[in-house]
Amino acid sequence: MSLLERTDLSRRAYLRTAVAVGGAGALSACLERSGDDEIPRGTDDQRTLPGRQHAWNGVLERDDHGNVRPPEHHVLLALSLRGEPTTEDRETVESSLRTLERAFEWGASGLVFTVGYSHAYFERLGEPPAGVDLPAPTALTEREDPEVDEFDALVHLASDHASAVLAAEEALFGEVETLNGISVEVDLSSVFEREGALRRTGFVGPGLPAAETDLPAVPDAVPEDAPFFMGFRSGFRESQASEDRVTITEGPFAGGTTQHVSSMTLQLDVWFEQDSHAQRVAKLFSPEHADEGLVGEVGERLGDSSGLTSERIEATANDARRRGVVGHAQKAARAREDGQPLLLRRDFNTVDGDVPGLHFLSLQRTVEEFGRVREAMNGTDLAGSGVGTVLNNGILQYLFVDRRGNYLVPPRKHRALPPSAPTTE
Amino acid sequence: MTRNDDSNATRERKPRQYRTNRRGFLSRAGAAAGLVAVTGCLAEDDGTDAVPAFPRVEDPPEAVYVPTHREAMRVLEPLEAGEYTLASMLSYPHPFWLVDGTETVPVEPDSDLGVHMMFTVWDEATGTVIPLDSGAEIRLERDGEPVGTPRLPWTMISQEMGVHFGDNVPLESFGTYTVEVSLPPLGVERTGALAGRFTDGGRATFEFDYDEAFVEEVVGGVEYLDEAVWGRSGALEPMDHAGHGDSQHHGDDHHHDDGHNHHGDTGGHAHAHVPFSALPASGDYPGTHLLTADGAYPQSGDATFVLTVLEAGSRFADERYLLVSPRTPYNRVPLADMALDVRLERDGTTVQRGPLEQTLDDEFGLHYGRALEDVEPGDELTLTVETPPQVARHQGYETAFLRMEPIELRVPELG
């Protein structure tokens, strides 16, 4: 890595910290350091924006292999309603969100965001969302005991500019008068309370995880170029569901999607200091990936695909028996339908609480589909046949789920405090 | 255990970076047989070593061998965690080996500061030690603040401790630590008195002092064996049987199996409450035993295999049942998380073939089993080890139970 790259990395790590801290002080620190004064403005014309809140792929950059490059900075805002939603509240929410769209171009160079609503929100309304199964979050493995998200709404803000996510957050709560030069007239503070303790932040990008090695739980062995804490690339085009595949097709929420957010702590000391690189590859991808050297140091040998052929997916049980280890990706891919993945992952690294972790955010047509993938990933059926309940059974040994939440992300037209069965004007 | 009353005062203090003192064993590794303790060497003016020396055996055999030393550890009081009972044992961070297929991956402690934390988990009602990965989880705190991130310790085998869960846990400084251990429901097939048990998890919390006294105790307590016996076929006696001056088996009685049962034989010893995970002696298994042509229990990868065909209508199956119990030689430690496949042939034709199921039974412990629909005397039985035991190893076990050839036996007259 050149000196210039190092300087740039230290600047990006600084911005990452600013996003984690949040607030006006962090925003101004960020504006001073980032050189973000040229963030493209957005639009007033709703017709130019996609009808799906989760339509991000069309505006995000792609790498040489066609993989979508996720935005670098992320914030998840937990919101609780101050009272029963009124028509006026709906207008307030819609106007506040439109302010973000006017201020920033829709994209990673501006801002992308979604607003999702929880089971608790619809319980408050007295009716579940029409045509959508939105269960209350629960534990999904026998060994986890997660806190569950019981607040009403979750806003996911994402941008390559730290200042954009921070400023958008400030604007949503009336802490700034202008946003990227646009006057902030309306904000959410009369409708929602921020659950500050549940504010979550994170980042994705080559080099960013390795910039966190000053934290005691982040070992020096995190590879310099890895975009994720586990040390490898992720989000391969072939392993991701398309936006169409995760979009609700029927009912008043057609055009929306469901969102699962699990927040987990990662055990990186054992992963990097005890397991070998070959073991990490075998446990993350498949033993054949390790034996044949398909992955490279951080996944650079993989192009647009994690290399999960149908043979390698079908070999999972056999690999457990014959090889004594199975890969996480291989195991989870058993839940694919007609070879197509069910989940669109938009997860990101975090050091919230000063420990390394992952906010695993995924979109899927139904929450039940998430459960199916998670069950395949649990690999309970493989335990005792060459692999343990946890040990050598993918990466279960390194993940500790702290929180889970399920949300309905309505189509844009219903994003502001939707009733249980919205009618389409 | 005592609490460190001075813990607040020492909160920010880091212990000195102790240097490993290698003189201890080098000067004492003489020719005389028996144990050599180096306790006296550790009381140097400059303090105690944080970890002892870890001499290795050069080019050890692909078999269970006598290691270079006997570990010392502090054994804490047993705790209840739901239906489970567990005891923690703390030692100094030390090397161990992970298993990756048929290879091992050595793990060196990344810091001299910290502990090697171990747990033996058992069922008090039946005395059965839980011998396989069940997803035990540990979280450490100090002064109410988390220390590091949670861990799922490895399932390990050691000659002295048998099966346990363990890992090196780095600690940044001396102090009093709180450990929460979570044990999930048991995932393995259970039979006998264990059927229907351990369907809920359990949780227990304990404290320990990581201080100079602890370090002196565990480092000073290491006993180095005479270099002349290092690497010989043999094993240390289990911890509860640690005698003075005769605490290893020697190669000449390799694979002895004298019917002596370690279960329930722990009274009166220092660590009386912690059972050792020994399987019953081979002679204690019912049914028709399958032996080699020399009348011995078959071996593969230096493991001893008890194979017995139980009569139809046993507790395990309506048909006859093949019970396979692989264990370490000498100490009869069960070998968990293997994949075993059996094939029965008659006159050159396969009559049955398939995987065995890992099963935990209160009477026969961990074994692998399968109902046999059609078995006759004279059948050729081939037991294939598809995957050797995927359990981590302490010194003396890391070269054994890896490359395991199939076992071929002829079915005798069935009882």
Side-chain angles (χ1 to χ4, degrees):
Chain A
M1 200 177 277
S2 73
L3 183 62
L4 195 64
E5 284 170 320
R6 273 185 206 289
T7 311
D8 178 57
L9 192 59
S10 115
R11 184 186 64 90
R12 287 161 65 206
Y14 177 87
L15 297 172
R16 193 288 299 158
T17 308
V19 172
V21 171
L27 175 58
S28 60
C30 193
L31 287 169
E32 275 171 32
R33 183 84 184 260
S34 64
D36 275 354
D37 42 4
E38 293 291 328
I39 300 180
R41 291 260 176 84
T43 176
D44 225 350
D45 186 353
Q46 284 286 305
R47 289 168 307 177
T48 64
L49 293 168
R52 299 170 180 173
Q53 290 197 74
H54 59 284
W56 294 12
N57 288 358
V59 292
L60 297 181
E61 281 177 27
R62 287 173 189 261
D63 67 16
D64 296 343
H65 305 287
N67 303 305
V68 170
R69 190 180 66 73
E72 185 159 317
H73 300 286
H74 297 256
V75 174
L76 295 174
L77 295 178
L79 306 179
S80 290
L81 281 169
R82 290 183 181 277
E84 300 312 302
T86 63
T87 308
E88 195 190 341
D89 290 341
R90 291 196 169 96
E91 284 164 7
T92 302
V93 171
E94 182 59 31
S95 304
S96 305
L97 299 175
R98 287 187 184 194
T99 303
L100 304 187
E101 287 160 346
R102 279 206 303 281
F104 296 116
E105 182 181 271
W106 183 252
S109 54
L111 179 76
V112 284
F113 64 92
T114 60
V115 189
Y117 295 88
S118 68
H119 176 86
Y121 169 83
F122 289 101
E123 281 224 316
R124 184 193 277 275
L125 300 186
E127 287 283 336
V132 178
D133 187 20
L134 185 65
T138 56
L140 296 178
T141 69
E142 283 194 323
R143 69 180 182 88
E144 72 183 37
D145 183 18
E147 303 282 326
V148 294
D149 291 356
E150 285 172 327
F151 44 84
D152 294 295
L154 185 78
V155 175
H156 179 193
L157 302 167
S159 173
D160 283 344
H161 298 289
S163 67
V165 291
L166 282 173
E169 180 183 358
E170 293 301 286
L172 283 176
F173 282 85
E175 307 283 352
V176 289
E177 288 176 6
T178 61
L179 180 63
N180 204 23
I182 299 291
S183 165
V184 177
E185 315 265 324
V186 188
D187 67 77
L188 299 177
S189 55
S190 63
V191 181
F192 285 116
E193 242 176 312
R194 269 189 282 189
E195 301 285 347
L198 299 179
R199 180 178 182 273
R200 285 171 274 186
T201 68
F203 52 93
V204 184
L208 290 176
E212 301 294 342
T213 50
D214 52 329
L215 293 173
V218 181
D220 293 338
V222 173
E224 210 169 60
D225 295 328
F228 286 95
F229 270 130
M230 298 300 276
F232 296 94
R233 288 170 56 210
S234 172
F236 300 97
R237 187 175 63 171
E238 158 277 343
S239 311
Q240 291 274 56
S242 66
E243 286 177 354
D244 284 346
R245 179 62 187 78
V246 304
T247 299
I248 297 167
T249 52
E250 287 172 12
F253 290 108
T257 187
T258 72
Q259 184 185 56
H260 179 86
V261 184
S262 25
S263 293
M264 56 191 83
T265 301
L266 301 176
Q267 171 47 265
L268 299 179
D269 284 330
V270 175
W271 179 246
F272 284 111
E273 311 275 1
Q274 298 189 3
D275 285 282
S276 64
H277 183 265
Q279 280 177 299
R280 289 195 289 277
V281 170
K283 290 178 181 183
L284 200 49
F285 296 96
S286 84
E288 201 173 69
H289 282 75
D291 296 344
E292 295 185 7
L294 301 176
V295 172
E297 183 62 23
V298 299
E300 67 278 6
R301 287 192 200 147
L302 299 165
D304 71 338
S305 154
S306 55
L308 287 172
T309 58
S310 55
E311 290 78 18
R312 287 189 186 119
I313 297 166
E314 282 161 22
T316 306
N318 214 24
D319 283 348
R321 286 199 71 80
R322 300 270 161 80
R323 191 53 178 68
V325 61
V326 293
H328 160 75
Q330 166 188 43
K331 219 173 14 161
R334 296 182 299 164
R336 289 182 182 181
E337 268 183 15
D338 303 324
Q340 297 304 307
L342 302 178
L343 310 187
L344 174 52
R345 290 176 51 173
R346 286 185 174 154
D347 48 307
F348 46 93
N349 305 295
T350 185
V351 289
D352 288 346
D354 288 341
V355 291
L358 184 73
H359 293 306
F360 187 94
L361 189 155
S362 91
L363 305 177
Q364 52 284 315
R365 188 169 290 156
T366 67
V367 174
E368 183 271 332
E369 289 173 329
F370 178 82
R372 257 193 278 159
V373 175
R374 178 67 214 205
E375 197 183 327
M377 172 189 157
N378 289 346
T380 312
D381 55 316
L382 305 168
S385 298
V387 300
T389 303
V390 171
L391 303 180
N392 292 352
N393 198 338
I395 53 171
L396 299 173
Q397 190 184 357
Y398 314 93
L399 309 181
F400 298 83
V401 176
D402 302 313
R403 294 197 72 84
R404 289 191 181 280
N406 295 326
Y407 299 91
L408 166 62
V409 178
R412 185 179 302 274
K413 63 187 172 190
H414 298 313
R415 66 181 171 175
L417 302 175
S420 293
T423 49
T424 305
E425 307 100 69
Chain B
M1 63 178 296
T2 54
R3 281 196 62 123
N4 181 357
D5 295 325
D6 201 26
S7 59
N8 285 334
T10 58
R11 192 172 164 185
E12 298 308 323
R13 200 189 112 204
K14 285 196 175 185
R16 280 171 292 161
Q17 296 286 326
Y18 296 116
R19 261 190 224 105
T20 300
N21 175 356
R22 291 186 167 268
R23 267 186 296 161
F25 76 90
L26 287 174
S27 59
R28 300 282 176 133
L35 277 175
V36 179
V38 295
T39 317
C41 295
L42 293 159
E44 305 274 347
D45 291 343
D46 56 350
T48 308
D49 287 355
V51 292
F54 304 117
R56 295 283 176 80
V57 171
E58 298 241 342
D59 200 17
E62 287 198 2
V64 176
Y65 70 88
V66 177
T68 55
H69 61 285
R70 171 182 280 278
E71 287 173 37
M73 63 199 74
R74 181 181 283 182
V75 182
L76 305 186
E77 283 300 306
L79 300 164
E80 279 182 24
E83 282 189 272
Y84 297 99
T85 306
L86 68 92
S88 359
M89 282 142 281
L90 301 169
S91 187
Y92 41 81
H94 62 68
F96 59 88
W97 287 263
L98 305 179
V99 175
D100 177 13
T102 56
E103 306 292 323
T104 53
V105 177
V107 172
E108 299 290 339
D110 53 2
S111 166
D112 284 359
L113 300 177
V115 294
H116 185 76
M117 188 176 285
M118 301 175 271
F119 305 92
T120 295
V121 180
W122 71 96
D123 173 33
E124 187 72 35
T126 63
T128 308
V129 174
I130 308 300
L132 75 170
D133 168 35
S134 57
E137 179 176 319
I138 53 175
R139 289 170 189 259
L140 264 73
E141 280 189 359
R142 187 179 172 204
D143 301 323
E145 294 294 320
V147 174
T149 54
R151 286 173 178 261
L152 281 156
W154 305 97
T155 310
M156 294 202 193
I157 51 174
S158 86
Q159 295 175 5
E160 303 142 274
M161 310 260 318
V163 191
H164 60 278
F165 305 105
D167 201 354
N168 290 332
V169 179
L171 300 173
E172 289 199 345
S173 54
F174 283 156
T176 300
Y177 291 85
T178 306
V179 183
E180 185 188 76
V181 185
S182 305
L183 296 161
L186 214 44
V188 67
E189 174 73 15
R190 279 144 289 162
T191 51
L194 297 177
R197 307 259 328 275
F198 299 103
T199 52
D200 293 317
R203 195 169 286 185
T205 302
F206 67 92
E207 282 189 349
F208 71 93
D209 290 329
Y210 178 56
D211 55 16
E212 218 143 333
F214 166 78
V215 172
E216 277 171 25
E217 176 187 330
V218 297
V219 175
V222 177
E223 296 170 352
Y224 292 93
L225 303 183
D226 186 325
E227 194 169 345
V229 302
W230 294 359
R232 276 197 198 168
S233 287
L236 298 172
E237 287 250 5
M239 197 166 69
D240 285 327
H241 294 254
H244 295 282
D246 184 27
S247 65
Q248 87 246 16
H249 296 283
H250 283 288
D252 52 2
D253 61 348
H254 194 101
H255 300 292
H256 79 129
D257 207 341
D258 56 6
H260 178 65
N261 191 341
H262 293 292
H263 271 295
D265 187 28
T266 54
H269 294 277
H271 312 304
H273 322 292
V274 186
F276 183 82
S277 56
L279 289 165
S282 52
D284 293 347
Y285 288 78
T288 304
H289 290 207
L290 274 63
L291 304 174
T292 64
D294 326 342
Y297 285 95
Q299 293 164 22
S300 178
D302 208 34
T304 303
F305 283 72
V306 175
L307 285 92
T308 178
V309 177
L310 305 186
E311 286 182 31
S314 72
R315 295 194 277 118
F316 300 100
D318 295 338
E319 307 91 344
R320 289 184 192 271
Y321 182 78
L322 176 66
L323 184 155
V324 177
S325 172
R327 71 266 310 280
T328 66
Y330 319 113
N331 292 348
R332 302 202 303 266
V333 173
L335 295 173
D337 290 332
M338 308 172 77
L340 297 178
D341 184 90
V342 69
R343 188 173 69 207
L344 269 179
E345 282 171 298
R346 190 174 307 149
D347 307 326
T349 309
T350 300
V351 289
Q352 188 178 352
R353 174 168 203 174
L356 303 186
E357 182 166 22
Q358 179 164 251
T359 303
L360 190 60
D361 184 69
D362 62 307
E363 192 181 354
F364 305 122
L366 180 103
H367 67 271
Y368 301 80
R370 186 180 177 100
L372 297 178
E373 293 106 32
D374 177 18
V375 57
E376 288 179 7
D379 288 354
E380 296 281 351
L381 183 147
T382 306
L383 183 75
T384 307
V385 179
E386 292 185 287
T387 292
Q390 299 293 298
V391 291
R393 322 290 179 81
H394 282 217
Q395 194 188 46
Y397 276 158
E398 81 279 14
T399 52
F401 329 126
L402 290 171
R403 280 160 287 281
M404 302 180 80
E405 294 301 316
I407 291 171
E408 293 174 5
L409 299 163
R410 188 170 292 279
V411 176
E413 285 302 321
L414 292 164

